[in-house]
Amino acid sequence: MNITVYLGANKGNDDSLERAAKELGQWIGDSGHALVYGGSKTGLMGILAEGAVESGGKVTGVEPEMFIQSEVQYDGVTELIVTKDFPERKRKMIELGDAFIAFPGGTGTLEEIAEVMSQIALQQLDAPCILYNLNGYYDGLKALLFHMIEMGLSTEERQKQIYFAENLADIKAILGE
Protein backbone atom coordinates (compact mmCIF):
# COMPACT_ATOMS: atom_id res chain seq x y z
CA MET A 1 0.00 0.00 0.00
CA ASN A 2 1.24 3.49 -0.83
CA ILE A 3 0.77 5.69 2.21
CA THR A 4 0.85 9.40 1.44
CA VAL A 5 1.91 11.43 4.45
CA TYR A 6 1.60 15.20 4.71
CA LEU A 7 3.71 16.94 7.35
CA GLY A 8 5.90 19.89 8.04
CA ALA A 9 9.29 20.80 6.64
CA ASN A 10 9.97 22.25 10.11
CA LYS A 11 10.59 20.18 13.24
CA GLY A 12 8.37 22.21 15.54
CA ASN A 13 9.17 22.71 19.19
CA ASP A 14 7.82 19.45 20.63
CA ASP A 15 10.35 16.59 20.65
CA SER A 16 7.52 14.03 20.61
CA LEU A 17 6.82 15.06 17.00
CA GLU A 18 10.29 13.96 15.91
CA ARG A 19 9.99 10.62 17.72
CA ALA A 20 6.53 9.97 16.26
CA ALA A 21 7.63 10.92 12.71
CA LYS A 22 10.60 8.53 12.95
CA GLU A 23 8.35 5.79 14.35
CA LEU A 24 5.79 6.26 11.56
CA GLY A 25 8.49 6.13 8.89
CA GLN A 26 10.04 3.01 10.42
CA TRP A 27 6.66 1.27 10.57
CA ILE A 28 5.93 2.09 6.93
CA GLY A 29 9.32 0.66 5.93
CA ASP A 30 9.12 -2.39 8.20
CA SER A 31 5.56 -3.26 7.16
CA GLY A 32 6.34 -3.44 3.45
CA HIS A 33 4.24 -0.40 2.64
CA ALA A 34 5.65 2.47 0.57
CA LEU A 35 5.89 6.09 1.66
CA VAL A 36 4.81 8.98 -0.58
CA TYR A 37 5.66 12.39 0.86
CA GLY A 38 6.75 15.91 -0.07
CA GLY A 39 10.37 15.02 -0.81
CA SER A 40 12.21 17.31 1.59
CA LYS A 41 15.21 16.45 3.75
CA THR A 42 14.31 19.13 6.28
CA GLY A 43 12.21 19.04 9.43
CA LEU A 44 9.67 16.35 10.12
CA MET A 45 9.62 15.40 6.42
CA GLY A 46 13.28 14.42 6.53
CA ILE A 47 12.87 12.49 9.78
CA LEU A 48 9.89 10.54 8.41
CA ALA A 49 11.68 9.67 5.15
CA GLU A 50 14.88 8.71 6.95
CA GLY A 51 12.93 6.32 9.19
CA ALA A 52 11.34 4.63 6.18
CA VAL A 53 14.61 4.44 4.23
CA GLU A 54 16.54 3.03 7.22
CA SER A 55 13.85 0.35 7.57
CA GLY A 56 14.26 -0.72 3.96
CA GLY A 57 11.07 0.91 2.72
CA LYS A 58 10.35 2.32 -0.70
CA VAL A 59 10.12 6.11 -0.50
CA THR A 60 8.78 8.39 -3.21
CA GLY A 61 9.36 12.10 -2.79
CA VAL A 62 7.24 14.55 -4.76
CA GLU A 63 9.02 17.90 -4.82
CA PRO A 64 8.17 21.11 -6.67
CA GLU A 65 10.88 22.47 -8.97
CA MET A 66 11.39 25.56 -6.79
CA PHE A 67 12.61 23.37 -3.92
CA ILE A 68 14.92 21.36 -6.18
CA GLN A 69 16.62 24.65 -7.05
CA SER A 70 17.02 25.29 -3.29
CA GLU A 71 18.44 21.77 -2.87
CA VAL A 72 16.15 20.75 0.00
CA GLN A 73 15.22 17.40 -1.54
CA TYR A 74 16.13 14.21 0.32
CA ASP A 75 18.58 12.38 -1.90
CA GLY A 76 18.04 9.04 -0.15
CA VAL A 77 14.57 8.47 -1.61
CA THR A 78 13.85 5.53 -3.90
CA GLU A 79 12.23 7.83 -6.44
CA LEU A 80 12.06 11.61 -6.70
CA ILE A 81 9.29 13.08 -8.81
CA VAL A 82 9.79 16.74 -9.67
CA THR A 83 6.67 18.79 -10.36
CA LYS A 84 6.41 22.24 -11.88
CA ASP A 85 4.47 23.67 -8.91
CA PHE A 86 2.46 22.90 -5.77
CA PRO A 87 -0.89 22.16 -7.47
CA GLU A 88 0.82 19.52 -9.64
CA ARG A 89 2.57 18.12 -6.57
CA LYS A 90 -0.74 17.86 -4.72
CA ARG A 91 -2.40 16.03 -7.62
CA LYS A 92 0.52 13.61 -7.95
CA MET A 93 0.61 12.78 -4.25
CA ILE A 94 -3.12 12.01 -4.28
CA GLU A 95 -2.76 9.97 -7.48
CA LEU A 96 -0.02 7.84 -5.90
CA GLY A 97 -1.73 7.27 -2.54
CA ASP A 98 -3.85 4.38 -1.33
CA ALA A 99 -4.19 5.89 2.17
CA PHE A 100 -3.53 9.40 3.45
CA ILE A 101 -2.14 10.62 6.77
CA ALA A 102 -1.91 14.20 7.96
CA PHE A 103 0.83 14.32 10.58
CA PRO A 104 1.02 17.58 12.57
CA GLY A 105 2.19 20.32 10.23
CA GLY A 106 1.54 23.87 9.14
CA THR A 107 -0.79 25.55 6.68
CA GLY A 108 0.61 23.55 3.74
CA THR A 109 -0.23 20.28 5.50
CA LEU A 110 -3.71 21.56 6.27
CA GLU A 111 -4.26 22.69 2.68
CA GLU A 112 -3.14 19.34 1.27
CA ILE A 113 -5.22 17.18 3.60
CA ALA A 114 -8.24 19.44 3.06
CA GLU A 115 -8.05 18.53 -0.64
CA VAL A 116 -8.08 14.83 0.27
CA MET A 117 -11.03 15.30 2.65
CA SER A 118 -12.93 17.21 -0.02
CA GLN A 119 -12.37 14.51 -2.64
CA ILE A 120 -13.50 11.86 -0.16
CA ALA A 121 -16.66 13.85 0.67
CA LEU A 122 -17.44 14.19 -3.03
CA GLN A 123 -16.77 10.47 -3.57
CA GLN A 124 -13.98 11.24 -6.01
CA LEU A 125 -11.53 9.37 -3.80
CA ASP A 126 -12.10 6.07 -2.00
CA ALA A 127 -9.34 5.87 0.60
CA PRO A 128 -8.87 6.33 4.33
CA CYS A 129 -7.88 9.84 5.43
CA ILE A 130 -6.21 9.79 8.84
CA LEU A 131 -5.51 12.88 10.90
CA TYR A 132 -2.69 11.92 13.28
CA ASN A 133 -4.01 13.68 16.36
CA LEU A 134 -0.75 13.44 18.29
CA ASN A 135 -1.08 15.24 21.64
CA GLY A 136 -4.50 16.57 20.53
CA TYR A 137 -3.02 18.46 17.57
CA TYR A 138 -6.14 18.10 15.42
CA ASP A 139 -8.76 18.45 18.20
CA GLY A 140 -9.89 21.80 16.76
CA LEU A 141 -10.37 20.32 13.28
CA LYS A 142 -12.24 17.36 14.76
CA ALA A 143 -14.61 19.78 16.51
CA LEU A 144 -15.05 21.79 13.32
CA LEU A 145 -15.93 18.71 11.25
CA PHE A 146 -18.50 17.69 13.87
CA HIS A 147 -19.88 21.26 13.90
CA MET A 148 -20.29 21.11 10.10
CA ILE A 149 -22.51 18.05 10.57
CA GLU A 150 -24.46 19.72 13.41
CA MET A 151 -25.08 22.76 11.20
CA GLY A 152 -26.29 20.60 8.30
CA LEU A 153 -23.38 21.67 6.08
CA SER A 154 -21.85 18.20 5.93
CA THR A 155 -22.99 14.69 6.80
CA GLU A 156 -21.58 11.68 8.60
CA GLU A 157 -21.74 9.86 5.24
CA ARG A 158 -19.47 12.46 3.62
CA GLN A 159 -17.00 12.17 6.46
CA LYS A 160 -17.11 8.40 6.95
CA GLN A 161 -13.54 7.80 5.68
CA ILE A 162 -12.03 10.60 7.77
CA TYR A 163 -10.43 9.22 10.92
CA PHE A 164 -8.55 10.61 13.89
CA ALA A 165 -5.68 8.56 15.29
CA GLU A 166 -4.08 9.31 18.63
CA ASN A 167 -1.05 7.08 18.05
CA LEU A 168 0.57 4.61 15.65
CA ALA A 169 -1.51 1.72 17.03
CA ASP A 170 -4.67 3.60 15.98
CA ILE A 171 -3.25 4.16 12.48
CA LYS A 172 -2.46 0.45 12.15
CA ALA A 173 -5.99 -0.46 13.26
CA ILE A 174 -7.61 1.95 10.80
CA LEU A 175 -5.51 0.47 7.99
CA GLY A 176 -6.37 -3.09 9.07
CA GLU A 177 -2.89 -3.96 10.28
Side-chain angles (χ1 to χ4, degrees), residues 7-175:
L7 71 171
N10 294 320
K11 287 185 180 180
N13 57 17
D14 179 347
D15 292 341
S16 69
L17 296 174
E18 291 182 50
R19 288 189 300 276
K22 184 78 157 192
E23 178 186 48
L24 178 60
Q26 288 171 335
W27 170 73
I28 290 171
D30 287 340
S31 67
H33 297 303
L35 170 64
V36 176
Y37 86 114
S40 181
K41 66 182 176 187
T42 63
L44 296 173
M45 280 195 205
I47 293 167
L48 172 78
E50 185 177 86
V53 168
E54 288 174 356
S55 297
K58 178 183 177 213
V59 177
T60 300
V62 185
E63 191 81 85
E65 176 64 36
M66 67 182 278
F67 288 140
I68 298 297
Q69 294 169 0
S70 301
E71 298 183 5
V72 297
Q73 74 274 6
Y74 181 52
D75 292 326
V77 298
T78 311
E79 179 181 11
L80 180 65
I81 298 171
V82 179
T83 63
K84 70 177 181 155
D85 55 24
F86 280 100
E88 184 182 341
R89 172 198 200 182
K90 192 167 44 170
R91 283 189 302 273
K92 190 64 172 176
M93 289 176 72
I94 291 171
E95 175 188 313
L96 294 172
D98 299 308
F100 301 87
I101 298 174
F103 195 86
T107 54
T109 300
L110 181 60
E111 189 264 338
E112 289 173 311
I113 204 64
E115 174 76 19
V116 172
M117 290 189 297
S118 180
Q119 286 193 27
I120 286 170
L122 296 171
Q123 298 180 350
Q124 295 174 335
L125 184 61
D126 183 18
C129 174
I130 303 167
L131 293 126
Y132 195 160
N133 196 29
L134 188 67
N135 302 328
Y137 189 80
Y138 285 112
D139 283 348
L141 181 55
K142 188 176 192 178
L144 178 59
L145 291 172
F146 180 73
H147 185 63
M148 288 174 181
I149 293 169
E150 284 183 322
M151 295 296 297
L153 300 171
S154 185
T155 64
E156 287 182 28
E157 177 67 23
R158 286 182 170 238
Q159 295 183 21
K160 73 178 180 178
Q161 288 185 287
I162 300 171
Y163 305 93
F164 289 82
E166 305 301 318
N167 52 49
L168 183 56
D170 289 349
I171 291 171
K172 291 177 185 179
I174 292 165
L175 296 178

